[in-house]
């Protein structure tokens, strides 16, 4: 708020000095070049009229060429000063004088979350809190950003830690504090809050993991590194060894496998529901979910549409999956993972993948001893040379979203069926990255929202990506009923994927299949669907 006033003071001093110099020069020039005496006050009058372009008084003609040049120079200089004053000084002064003042103290509000410094890491969390009617107050030290946040409808407090304006009076009314500034500033804010008597939870987001302990000692309850959390989220998307799509498949025996296939836009099943195509009867395979728009949509119903470009997850025998492969393109799961970008996220990502035994290739622009290929990832030839076509998936770990968008477009053109996983800085760029061709996109703010949302508000606060599992049940409640009449998917959200009868696993199931005494049923669903199934049919629980 002081800067426009400082400019006014500097402008005043500049004008006084300029007038004195111009008047002195004119007085000397008239005496020695024109042979006419002018006192200082007459010269000052000429200087003010010339610099402001309002006129020249009695003097409007000069004989000496040097005097003419001097007068012309003063005229042009005055014009430039006049044109510069308006945008650089007057407009900022009027804005600061008449626009609303930003609050500098915490509002009188109960049970709110105080967020110190706005940034990509907390944007999704603040939006999620708004949807849950949980008030958030953003403490921001950058005035332009504070005004922008206020225009967006956020509650904002503008105060400077460096200038001693931050005292956090009223912080005891907070539910929790999230520190998202520089590591040393986070520590200072946490210490001030604790000195003020705040006893609630404080969570800090750090740039450097080695600063975790000092920030904990300052009073934080937990410290997270968003970059490392983003790397963990990308690793989970890329490797089933870290986060399996479907667990418990081993219950079905060695004859049943799980596969991922892409629904090409030209496939005859693209855009159709499972009921329309009766995929299980056609192929013997069971669709247990599909990746679309970056999310895994499990628990498919007969009305679920196979989206063009989606990656479906299917269970079945080799023959069943081969038949499904005639309708969709099987994804190669045998090649290495290609990581492009080797900054902080890329390095941690490679470390996590290699720790679980994954084969990883690395491409980056800046030289590093770990790289398999050094070059520009936006160069098609460099991508070809990096082994793109033999990779089973590519993971983009760039530091800016524009590069990510362009790289996704190039890679999708080179390898139409290759799964692309992308790290995104700003959450609002995720839809753009998906439209460019990425299968999965994850932002720092999404990861932070899941971490802190779970810590602060419980699992109900955010929609955690569902994990699908296969589990076993008995046929006791269904004996004599057909698979269609039992209506298990409609009542529980679970899908029957196999039947064990006379020690043989049957996966080709039709709606007319009748349950018999002693049958073992294998179902697939989320954790909630599993609990709902046994709540609906307690007699089906295995002994």
């Amino acid at each position: 708020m002081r800067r426009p006033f400082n400019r006014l003071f500097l402008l005043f001093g500049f004008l006084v000095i300029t007038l004195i110099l111009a008047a002195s020069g004119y007085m000397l020039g008239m005496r020695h070049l024109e042979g006419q005496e002018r006192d200082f006050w007459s010269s000052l009058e000429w200087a003010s009229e010339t610099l402001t372009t309002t006129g020249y008084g009695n003097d409007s003609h000069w004989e000496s060429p040097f005097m003419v040049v001097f007068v012309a120079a003063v005229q042009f200089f005055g014009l430039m000063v006049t044109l510069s004053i308006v945008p650089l000084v007057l407009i900022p002064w009027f804005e600061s004088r008449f626009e609303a003042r930003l609050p500098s103290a915490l509002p009188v509000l109960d049970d709110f979350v105080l967020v110190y410094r706005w940034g990509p890491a907390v944007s999704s969390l603040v939006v999620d809190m708004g949807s849950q009617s949980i008030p958030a107050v953003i403490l921001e030290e950058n005035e332009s950003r504070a005004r922008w946040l206020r225009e967006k409808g956020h509650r904002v407090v503008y105060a400077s830690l460096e200038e001693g304006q931050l005292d956090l009076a009223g912080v005891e009314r907070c539910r929790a504090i999230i520190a998202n500034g520089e590591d040393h500033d986070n520590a200072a804010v946490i210490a001030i809050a604790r000195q003020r008597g705040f006893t609630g939870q404080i969570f800090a987001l750090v740039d450097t993991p080695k600063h975790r302990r000092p920030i904990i000692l300052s009073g934080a309850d937990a410290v997270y590194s968003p970059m490392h959390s983003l790397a963990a989220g990308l690793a989970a998307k890329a490797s089933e060894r870290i986060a399996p799509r479907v667990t418990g498949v081993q219950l079905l025996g060695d004859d049943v496998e799980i596969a991922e296939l892409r629904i090409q836009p030209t496939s005859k099943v693209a855009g159709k529901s499972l009921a329309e195509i009766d995929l299980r009867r056609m192929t013997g395979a069971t669709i247990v979910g599909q990746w679309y728009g970056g999310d895994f949509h499990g628990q498919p119903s007969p009305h679920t549409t196979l989206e063009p470009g989606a990656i479906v997850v299917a269970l079945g025998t080799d023959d069943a999956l081969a038949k499904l492969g005639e309708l969709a393109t099987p994804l190669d799961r045998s090649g290495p993972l290609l990581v492009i970008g080797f900054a902080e996220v890329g390095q941690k990502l490679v470390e996590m993948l290699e720790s679980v035994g994954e084969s990883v290739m690395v491409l980056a622009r800046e030289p590093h001893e770990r790289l398999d290929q050094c070059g520009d990832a936006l160069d098609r030839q460099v991508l070809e040379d990096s082994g793109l076509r033999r990779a089973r998936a590519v993971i983009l770990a760039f530091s800016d979203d524009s590069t990510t968008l362009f790289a996704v477009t190039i890679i999708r053109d080179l390898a139409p069926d290759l799964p692309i996983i992308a790290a995104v800085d700003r959450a609002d760029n995720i839809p753009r990255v998906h439209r460019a061709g990425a299968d999965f996109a994850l932002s720092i703010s999404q990861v932070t929202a899941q971490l802190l949302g779970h810590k602060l508000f419980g699992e109900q606060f955010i929609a955690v990506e569902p994990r699908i599992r296969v589990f076993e049940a008995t046929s006791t409640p269904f004996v004599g009923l057909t698979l269609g009449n039992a209506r298990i998917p409609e009542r529980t959200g679970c899908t029957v994927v196999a039947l064990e009868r006379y020690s043989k696993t049957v996966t080709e199931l039709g709606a007319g299949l009748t349950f018999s005494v002693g049958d073992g049923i294998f179902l697939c669903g989320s954790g909630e669907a599993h609990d709902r199934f046994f709540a609906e049919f307690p007699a089906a629980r295995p002994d």
Side-chain angles (χ1 to χ4, degrees):
M1 298 294 288
R2 297 179 182 176
R3 189 172 301 169
F5 290 97
N6 291 339
R7 288 178 179 175
L8 280 177
F9 294 139
L10 290 173
L11 173 64
F12 179 76
F14 171 77
L15 290 177
V16 170
I17 294 172
T18 302
L19 283 170
I20 293 174
L21 291 176
S24 300
Y26 184 74
M27 183 173 61
L28 294 173
M30 290 296 290
R31 175 186 301 166
H32 297 289
L33 298 176
E34 295 290 330
Q36 302 179 35
E37 287 290 337
R38 294 288 186 273
D39 61 20
F40 176 78
W41 297 110
S42 299
S43 300
L44 184 64
E45 180 186 11
W46 172 88
S48 63
E49 291 173 341
T50 302
L51 287 171
T52 58
T53 68
T54 58
Y56 305 106
N58 295 323
D59 292 339
S60 60
H61 181 73
W62 299 270
E63 298 292 339
S64 171
F66 294 104
M67 196 63 187
V68 172
V69 170
F70 172 76
V71 171
V74 174
Q75 289 173 341
F76 279 106
F77 181 76
L79 184 61
M80 287 188 295
V81 170
T82 301
L83 294 176
S84 301
I85 286 173
V86 174
L88 296 179
V89 179
L90 294 183
I91 291 179
W93 183 81
F94 279 111
E95 286 180 347
S96 65
R97 180 68 179 84
F98 295 106
E99 69 182 355
R101 290 181 177 273
L102 290 167
S104 58
L106 296 181
V108 181
L109 191 66
D110 292 326
D111 203 33
F112 65 94
V113 175
L114 178 62
V115 179
Y116 172 63
R117 302 305 297 267
W118 177 263
V122 297
S123 58
S124 290
L125 181 64
V126 171
V127 172
D128 289 342
M129 285 191 291
S131 66
Q132 297 288 325
S133 300
I134 299 170
V137 176
I138 302 168
L139 177 58
E140 181 55 60
E141 295 193 47
N142 182 286
E143 183 179 359
S144 60
R145 186 179 295 124
R147 294 195 178 279
W148 176 82
L149 288 168
R150 184 169 181 173
E151 290 173 2
K152 293 293 183 180
H154 297 290
R155 293 184 180 89
V156 181
V157 174
Y158 170 61
S160 174
L161 177 66
E162 185 176 344
E163 295 180 8
Q165 300 170 342
L166 184 63
D167 62 6
L168 295 184
V171 72
E172 62 277 0
R173 297 190 298 270
C174 288
R175 173 190 292 210
I177 297 175
I178 300 171
N180 183 46
E182 299 290 336
D183 292 352
H184 57 279
D185 290 338
N186 286 344
V189 169
I190 292 168
I192 293 172
R194 292 303 188 199
Q195 289 172 1
R196 276 280 182 182
F198 179 70
T199 59
Q201 293 180 305
I202 300 180
F203 303 101
L205 306 178
V206 298
D207 298 322
T208 306
K210 67 181 181 181
H211 291 161
R212 286 178 177 174
R213 179 168 174 77
I215 293 180
I216 288 287
L217 294 175
S218 299
D221 293 284
V223 179
Y224 301 100
S225 173
M227 291 296 187
H228 288 190
S229 299
L230 176 61
L234 295 171
K237 294 279 189 184
S239 174
E240 288 193 351
R241 298 180 185 181
I242 294 175
R245 311 285 187 260
V246 182
T247 60
V249 180
Q250 66 276 6
L251 294 172
L252 300 175
D254 296 335
D255 295 333
V256 179
E257 299 179 358
I258 186 169
E260 293 182 334
L261 307 93
R262 186 182 295 280
I263 304 295
Q264 298 292 351
T266 56
S267 172
K268 64 181 182 180
V269 300
K272 296 182 179 180
S273 69
L274 294 176
E276 285 183 88
I277 56 181
D278 198 2
L279 202 61
R280 177 179 281 185
R281 182 186 59 80
M282 289 176 60
T283 66
T286 301
I287 302 294
V288 299
Q290 64 176 331
W291 292 97
Y292 183 69
D295 296 319
F296 183 66
H297 303 273
Q299 301 174 229
S301 71
H303 305 294
T304 297
T305 299
L306 296 180
E307 301 289 347
I311 296 176
V312 298
V313 181
L315 290 173
T317 62
D318 284 340
D319 291 340
L321 295 175
K323 292 178 182 177
L324 182 58
E326 296 175 2
L327 303 173
T329 305
L331 299 182
D332 183 9
R333 300 170 63 192
S334 60
L337 295 167
L338 174 61
V339 175
I340 302 180
F342 205 58
E344 185 176 354
V345 172
Q347 291 179 23
K348 193 63 179 179
L349 174 62
V350 171
E351 178 186 329
M352 290 178 178
L353 292 172
E354 291 183 334
S355 69
V356 295
E358 292 285 8
S359 175
V360 182
M361 301 184 301
V362 185
L363 164 64
R365 181 192 293 269
E366 299 299 328
H368 191 280
E369 59 182 9
R370 173 58 187 84
L371 299 186
D372 297 279
Q373 177 83 11
C374 184
D376 184 3
L378 302 181
D379 187 317
R380 296 171 68 93
Q381 189 57 52
V382 171
L383 288 170
E384 293 276 12
D385 295 342
S386 69
L388 179 72
R389 296 189 185 276
R390 61 187 177 89
R392 85 165 182 267
V394 60
I395 312 168
L396 304 179
F398 295 114
S399 57
D400 65 280
D401 292 349
S402 58
T403 304
T404 301
L405 277 165
F406 198 38
V408 168
T409 305
I410 296 172
I411 294 170
R412 180 55 69 220
D413 183 51
L414 286 172
D417 297 327
L418 181 66
I420 301 176
I421 303 167
V424 179
D425 185 33
R426 293 165 52 104
D428 54 1
N429 282 330
I430 288 179
R432 301 183 183 96
V433 173
H434 283 148
R435 284 195 295 271
D439 296 291
F440 319 105
L442 196 62
S443 72
I444 294 176
S445 61
Q446 286 177 309
V447 174
T448 306
Q450 290 193 3
L451 284 171
L452 298 183
H454 176 75
K455 284 283 187 182
L456 289 170
F457 316 108
E459 294 182 4
Q460 305 90 336
F461 178 70
I462 53 173
V464 181
E465 182 178 287
R467 292 296 175 192
I468 304 300
R469 57 176 170 171
V470 174
F471 60 94
E472 187 177 2
T474 67
S475 62
T476 303
F478 313 110
V479 172
L481 295 176
T482 64
L483 183 59
N485 290 336
R487 300 179 61 249
I488 294 174
E490 294 84 354
R491 299 169 68 179
T492 68
C494 296
T495 303
V496 178
V497 295
L499 199 70
E500 186 179 48
R501 180 173 289 176
Y502 307 123
S503 300
K504 182 180 179 181
T505 302
V506 180
T507 58
E508 297 185 7
L509 309 175
L513 176 75
T514 303
F515 291 104
S516 301
V517 176
D519 288 345
I521 305 175
F522 295 97
L523 304 103
C524 187
S526 66
E528 291 182 358
H530 167 275
D531 296 339
R532 192 159 52 245
F533 176 84
F534 285 117
E536 184 79 14
F537 306 109
R541 192 177 295 274
D543 295 334

